[in-house]
Amino acid sequence: MAVPRIKLDKKEAKKGDLVEVKALVAHIMESGQRKDASGAVIPRKILNKFTCTVNGKEVFSADFEPAVAANPYIQFKFRAQESGAVVLTWTDDDGSKIVGEEKITVS
Amino acid sequence: MFSRRDFLQLAAAAAAVMPAGGTRALAQQGLSEAELLRFAPLGNITLLHVADIHGQLVPVHFREPSLNIGVGEARGLPPHITGKDFLQRYGIPEKSAAAYALTFEDFEALAKSYGRIGGLDRAATVIKLVRAERGEGNVLFLDGGDTWQGSLGANRSKGQDMVDCMRLLKPDAMTGHWEFTYGEARVKELIKGLGFPFLALNVRDTEWNEPVFEPYKMFDKGGVKIAVLGQAFPYQPVANPRWLIPNWSFGIREDDVRATVEKARKAGAQLVVMLSHNGFDVDRKLASRVSGIDVILTSHTHDALPEAVRVGKTLLIASGSHGKFVSRLDLDARDGEVKDFRYKLIPLFADAIRPDAEMAAAIAKARAPYAGELRREVGRTESLLYRRGSFNGTFDDLICAALIKERDAEIALSPGFRWGASVLPGAAITIEDIHNATAITYPNAYRLTMSGERLKEVLEDVADNLFNPDPYYQQGGDMVRCGGLGYSVDVRKPAGQRISGMTHLKTGKPIEPKKDYAVAGWASVNEGTQGPPIWDVVERYIAGEKVVRIAPNTSVKIAGV
Amino acid sequence: MTLILNRRQALAVGAGAIVVLGGTAGPAFAKNDSDDIIKKFTGNATPQQGRVKLDLPEIAENGNTVPMTISVESPMTAQSHVTDVLVVADGNPRAGVATFHFSPASGAAEANTRIRLATSQNIIAVAKMNDGSFFTASKAVKVTIGGCGG
């Protein structure tokens, strides 16, 4: 399973600060619209859902369509409220999940 | 305006010069170094600007365009005026030195009178004199880019010759475009040795979307804090090969420009200068949308304008190309704004301005490894060879003829680059001349079959990059040059509908959408393009022809201008 | 997307041809089911122009991965915030691109991702506010053959 790469613009934040998250994950994002050499449609296989939680509370999520590029990149912000785990989860069409985690310390 | 009066005096001094008088006519008519440099200083700061030198260390002949089409709001505005209209607009007498430097009118005859223009040794003389006059602490010297490419020496040394010579001029900053065609590793290596910053606020890495270069630099000059913002050519990975810089993403990034201006102002900048490689029309639009920029030093589109163009509170300067000019802009900058300015586009007439000895030695050293090759005569030309112009150039006609013959093609495509020095009728065509029109890092002359449909797509696509009414959607080159193919173009039509009447010139028959044609071309942006370097193709052709004659090109019919 | 295959095939031929990313010779800004998707999202309400900012390059460097940033002006408080932003592309085979979900915990209604554009077209973003109002913005992106600038 692919290991996501995650960057927070700060690991330590004051309560109320905006924290910027950038994440990259390796995935073909097969659109389901391409054909192979024999003319058969290559089945769709994409990461269709992305979620970010901080201490289990959702701060941002997204639904992806096949128009999202391969190796999806996502960048967003959340408001720092408490120290804890920043967990990023991508859900595949096949139901499998890719999960990455970072820590944030809020003072 | 001072600059106009100044140019008039320059013109008057030379008005009596008759063609065939020999280049010494310049000095005899009072077109001296002192006259060319004469400038009543103003205010507390001087900006010196050069741009689009394109690898030219020594003086050149360079014919300005006869056709420079502007569309949308730019239609009929400078820089989209040429020839007599240009002379009239700026009050420049016909056949004057200024007319020769700035327009194509009487170019062949005037070239014989006024000689070559440019040379980094002449630029050095001017820059040193201005620095001495104004004091180093009051002068900023900025290089707008397209400096490291465009000649045999620049290409062979991968930009080293230009870096070594430019370093002697101690620029305060530069930005770039063709610089990037040496590839990421080489660009980084050259920047490391510059000794001054390479600024580009609009380049980010494709992985993490983070800035690659310093966006701006603060200078203390004339008692004022000056922020110089760098803006690289926005369409580098589109107009030139992306595979050479796969990790970098460009773009106009207007929001980033705005944010950088605000950041610089917050950091105490009292004067904001943007060193830009956007191209003139893009900068004109940007100036109307982003406030807080005092001066934009434009480049890329190779325009030489003898007056500053004002957009709101922003001054736009266009300093020409191929080392022909140095721009001097004196500013009275106080209380966070420009109170007054005086501008002069200084033409570097090579016979009037002394070469700087230190730079002349450096140029000789840089050219020494190829000296014999550079001057080797391949053939002669009876026609003026030039490139600049919206649709045609005789040098491109020559390249297309070479592609068709040497690569056994029906149709040739040659990119609408704006760089490339001119060769006078009656002159030898040397290896240096050929490379001045072809020296790139992706020179392979391909041959392939293309359907009529695909050919139309190519022409339409390039036409929209020129004639999209919104400058932000333009790339700033000229139209792709065609050999063996005629067509009509209506520049006012929308994308996909400008090109019609495509004709296979050899047979006189219409190009058929489904039919395949043998097409040769060069400068493909695709990695792994096969074929001999274009300069070898052109050399073989000229050597075979011995004497080149280019018939007037009537194969493109233009409407909507 | 077909454009990927086109590009691979063109490269595989190794002819040095200029790669065409989609049919630029056709109508520059074609239409698909983008209107229907937007209507479904807004419940047939007409979104107002403004508050939404859609940042994409004017000319795509690579139609397979075009950077896109959406941002919406909002205090992002419990009283006033953005809940969802729909993004569609009106010239792709299918219009859907992504939907972003925000809450006051997001702090800012901003997201950046990279998208596939088969041809020159308009990208449209529609933001839904917690009071049920909708705002929109669009941006035209040109997907070009390239290679002749300079």
Side-chain angles (χ1 to χ4, degrees):
Chain A
M1 188 55 80
V3 178
R5 292 183 290 158
I6 304 166
K7 278 189 174 189
L8 304 187
D9 72 336
K10 44 180 98 64
K11 295 282 178 83
E12 293 174 8
K14 288 194 177 64
K15 192 174 159 71
D17 277 357
L18 284 178
V19 179
E20 186 176 72
V21 183
K22 296 178 174 183
L24 271 166
V25 60
H27 194 283
I28 189 168
M29 295 296 277
E30 188 60 61
S31 68
Q33 294 154 23
R34 298 199 310 159
K35 290 176 180 169
D36 64 19
S38 69
V41 172
I42 304 170
R44 171 181 142 152
K45 181 176 167 53
I46 70 165
L47 298 171
N48 61 56
K49 179 83 188 164
F50 169 80
T51 312
C52 176
T53 60
V54 181
N55 274 351
K57 294 171 194 129
E58 182 177 310
V59 295
F60 171 82
S61 68
D63 302 310
F64 294 149
E65 302 290 338
V68 170
N71 306 322
Y73 172 81
I74 187 77
Q75 179 183 329
F76 59 94
K77 288 174 179 163
F78 69 86
R79 195 177 294 288
Q81 294 293 349
E82 53 192 313
S83 300
V86 180
V87 178
L88 279 60
T89 307
W90 289 260
T91 307
D92 196 294
D93 279 344
D94 66 12
S96 64
K97 289 183 193 303
I98 299 170
V99 181
E101 186 175 324
E102 285 284 325
K103 295 273 181 254
I104 181 95
T105 305
V106 179
S107 56
Chain B
M1 205 168 228
F2 179 88
S3 56
R4 177 180 293 189
R5 196 187 70 201
D6 204 60
F7 247 99
L8 280 172
Q9 289 188 356
L10 174 71
V17 176
M18 283 293 114
T23 58
R24 296 295 151 214
L26 278 172
Q28 289 160 14
Q29 297 301 324
L31 244 189
S32 61
E33 180 179 297
E35 185 59 32
L36 289 167
L37 280 162
R38 198 180 53 75
F39 193 106
L42 176 144
N44 48 341
I45 294 155
T46 292
L47 302 182
L48 293 172
H49 180 230
V50 294
D52 298 295
I53 291 173
H54 279 291
Q56 299 303 326
L57 291 169
V58 297
V60 293
H61 292 114
F62 181 81
R63 175 194 182 272
E64 298 292 337
S66 46
L67 188 62
N68 182 1
I69 297 174
V71 289
E73 290 176 8
R75 191 173 172 212
L77 293 180
H80 302 288
I81 48 172
T82 59
K84 289 193 165 63
D85 294 337
F86 188 103
L87 298 179
Q88 201 170 8
R89 168 74 171 71
Y90 291 107
I92 299 167
E94 287 181 30
K95 300 190 197 306
S96 64
Y100 166 62
L102 293 167
T103 73
F104 77 98
E105 292 288 345
D106 305 306
F107 181 81
E108 294 173 33
L110 297 182
K112 287 172 190 146
S113 282
Y114 295 118
R116 292 174 182 260
I117 309 184
L120 224 49
D121 47 2
R122 273 71 172 186
T125 298
V126 171
I127 290 159
K128 283 182 180 177
L129 284 170
V130 173
R131 276 186 173 140
E133 175 208 320
R134 290 288 271 175
E136 298 250 357
N138 305 310
V139 177
L140 264 183
F141 170 48
L142 301 165
D143 173 6
D146 272 0
T147 305
W148 302 349
Q149 173 276 343
S151 62
L152 181 144
N155 210 33
R156 292 270 178 88
S157 68
K158 297 187 176 67
Q160 193 67 55
D161 63 339
M162 296 307 294
V163 169
D164 289 347
C165 291
M166 284 300 287
R167 189 191 286 126
L168 298 175
L169 297 178
K170 298 186 180 67
D172 290 290
M174 76 176 291
T175 190
H177 166 198
W178 279 89
E179 282 74 11
F180 297 112
T181 62
Y182 293 116
E184 177 178 335
R186 180 60 175 162
V187 170
K188 282 180 172 166
E189 186 184 1
L190 285 173
I191 289 173
K192 221 181 217 175
L194 282 182
F196 57 88
F198 186 100
L199 304 174
L201 69 88
N202 60 330
V203 183
R204 288 173 178 259
D205 76 272
T206 51
E207 193 167 49
W208 292 109
N209 192 32
E210 281 163 12
V212 174
F213 301 99
E214 276 180 83
Y216 77 99
K217 178 156 166 95
M218 204 75 98
F219 296 91
D220 279 301
K221 296 280 180 184
V224 171
K225 272 185 110 172
I226 307 172
V228 176
L229 280 58
Q231 173 88 346
F233 175 50
Y235 294 122
Q236 186 71 38
V238 183
N240 304 92
R242 191 175 73 232
W243 61 268
L244 288 163
I245 34 114
N247 301 316
W248 295 344
S249 175
F250 294 67
I252 296 171
R253 298 183 189 268
E254 190 189 90
D255 286 338
D256 287 355
V257 175
R258 198 173 280 114
T260 308
V261 171
E262 281 165 15
K263 197 174 164 192
R265 290 275 180 195
K266 228 177 219 171
Q270 295 154 288
L271 182 75
V272 174
V273 176
M274 189 164 91
L275 182 61
S276 167
H277 211 96
N278 276 336
F280 195 90
D281 289 344
V282 174
D283 279 328
R284 176 158 38 205
K285 177 175 172 182
L286 189 124
S288 74
R289 293 170 54 90
V290 177
S291 58
I293 306 175
D294 297 296
V295 178
I296 301 182
L297 301 171
T298 75
S299 66
H300 182 51
T301 38
H302 292 191
D303 311 297
L305 298 179
E307 293 178 11
V309 172
R310 254 184 206 276
V311 177
K313 288 187 168 178
T314 306
L315 293 173
L316 272 64
I317 299 298
S319 305
S321 65
H322 295 78
K324 281 174 74 175
F325 306 94
V326 171
S327 273
R328 174 176 179 173
L329 178 64
D330 278 19
L331 298 167
D332 180 7
R334 280 175 289 138
D335 313 325
E337 62 176 11
V338 174
K339 303 284 185 193
D340 198 5
F341 74 96
R342 188 167 290 154
Y343 175 63
K344 184 172 180 177
L345 179 67
I346 304 168
L348 305 178
F349 286 98
D351 290 334
I353 294 177
R354 286 166 298 161
D356 173 77
E358 178 196 30
M359 182 64 84
I363 292 170
K365 190 180 161 206
R367 287 167 63 87
Y370 334 104
E373 208 177 342
L374 289 170
R375 63 173 172 262
R376 181 159 64 81
E377 186 176 322
V378 180
R380 303 193 71 81
T381 181
E382 286 187 358
S383 311
L384 173 68
L385 300 179
Y386 66 92
R387 172 171 283 158
R388 227 6 255 295
S390 293
F391 284 96
N392 304 113
T394 49
F395 216 128
D396 294 309
D397 291 336
L398 170 62
I399 291 171
C400 286
L403 282 164
I404 287 173
K405 179 157 183 240
E406 302 295 325
R407 300 246 57 200
D408 187 27
E410 297 168 273
I411 288 167
L413 299 177
S414 189
F417 296 145
R418 292 192 172 198
W419 50 268
S422 309
V423 184
L424 297 185
I429 306 171
T430 62
I431 289 291
E432 176 160 35
D433 295 325
I434 293 172
H435 283 258
N436 278 347
T438 58
I440 64 173
T441 58
Y442 48 107
N444 307 74
Y446 60 83
R447 182 187 190 280
L448 57 114
T449 54
M450 272 171 120
S451 68
E453 209 166 14
R454 174 61 65 92
L455 274 167
K456 180 165 190 295
E457 278 184 357
V458 170
L459 295 188
E460 291 283 8
D461 190 80
V462 182
D464 194 62
N465 289 334
L466 266 79
F467 305 123
N468 191 302
D470 184 341
Y472 278 13
Y473 292 84
Q474 299 169 4
Q475 288 175 24
D478 283 320
M479 186 64 183
V480 59
R481 276 61 167 138
C482 300
L485 173 69
Y487 64 92
S488 296
V489 55
D490 188 337
V491 302
R492 291 165 305 191
K493 290 270 173 66
Q497 298 170 34
R498 294 188 180 93
I499 307 293
S500 62
M502 287 171 65
T503 306
H504 186 211
L505 292 180
K506 202 167 113 187
T507 59
K509 288 184 179 157
I511 294 284
E512 294 172 38
K514 299 294 174 202
K515 201 179 158 193
D516 280 340
Y517 298 88
V519 177
W522 64 291
S524 163
V525 296
N526 289 340
E527 190 169 11
T529 299
Q530 300 294 310
I534 184 66
W535 46 78
D536 284 351
V537 173
V538 175
E539 182 185 343
R540 266 203 310 276
Y541 178 77
I542 295 171
E545 294 288 304
K546 291 189 179 64
V547 178
V548 169
R549 280 172 222 92
I550 308 292
N553 189 327
T554 55
S555 58
V556 183
K557 309 261 182 285
I558 305 152
V561 178
Chain C
M1 279 215 167
T2 50
L3 69 93
I4 301 170
L5 208 61
N6 284 345
R7 179 170 166 75
R8 279 197 189 140
Q9 284 169 337
L11 288 173
V13 171
I18 299 164
V19 173
V20 178
L21 294 169
T24 49
F29 299 104
K31 272 281 185 184
N32 53 16
D33 58 338
S34 56
D35 285 350
D36 298 338
I37 295 176
I38 292 169
K39 276 181 187 155
K40 202 175 150 200
F41 180 72
T42 63
N44 282 322
T46 304
Q48 304 167 60
Q49 292 291 327
R51 291 180 72 168
V52 181
K53 196 153 181 5
L54 191 51
D55 191 14
L56 290 120
E58 284 76 11
I59 305 177
E61 294 176 356
N62 175 0
N64 290 331
T65 173
V66 184
M68 173 187 79
T69 305
I70 57 111
S71 55
V72 188
E73 273 175 52
S74 165
M76 294 304 278
T77 58
Q79 292 73 35
S80 174
H81 60 269
V82 181
T83 59
D84 312 273
V85 176
L86 169 78
V87 180
V88 295
D90 74 359
N92 272 353
R94 289 167 52 183
V97 173
T99 311
F100 304 102
H101 308 287
F102 301 96
S103 67
S106 308
E110 281 180 40
N112 177 319
T113 189
R114 292 164 191 158
I115 67 174
R116 291 165 169 158
L117 296 178
T119 184
S120 298
Q121 58 189 294
N122 297 299
I123 317 306
I124 303 144
V126 184
K128 182 178 183 184
M129 310 309 209
N130 66 317
D131 65 1
S133 62
F134 293 91
F135 290 87
T136 187
S138 72
K139 169 109 181 189
V141 177
K142 187 157 79 171
V143 179
T144 172
I145 299 170
C148 294

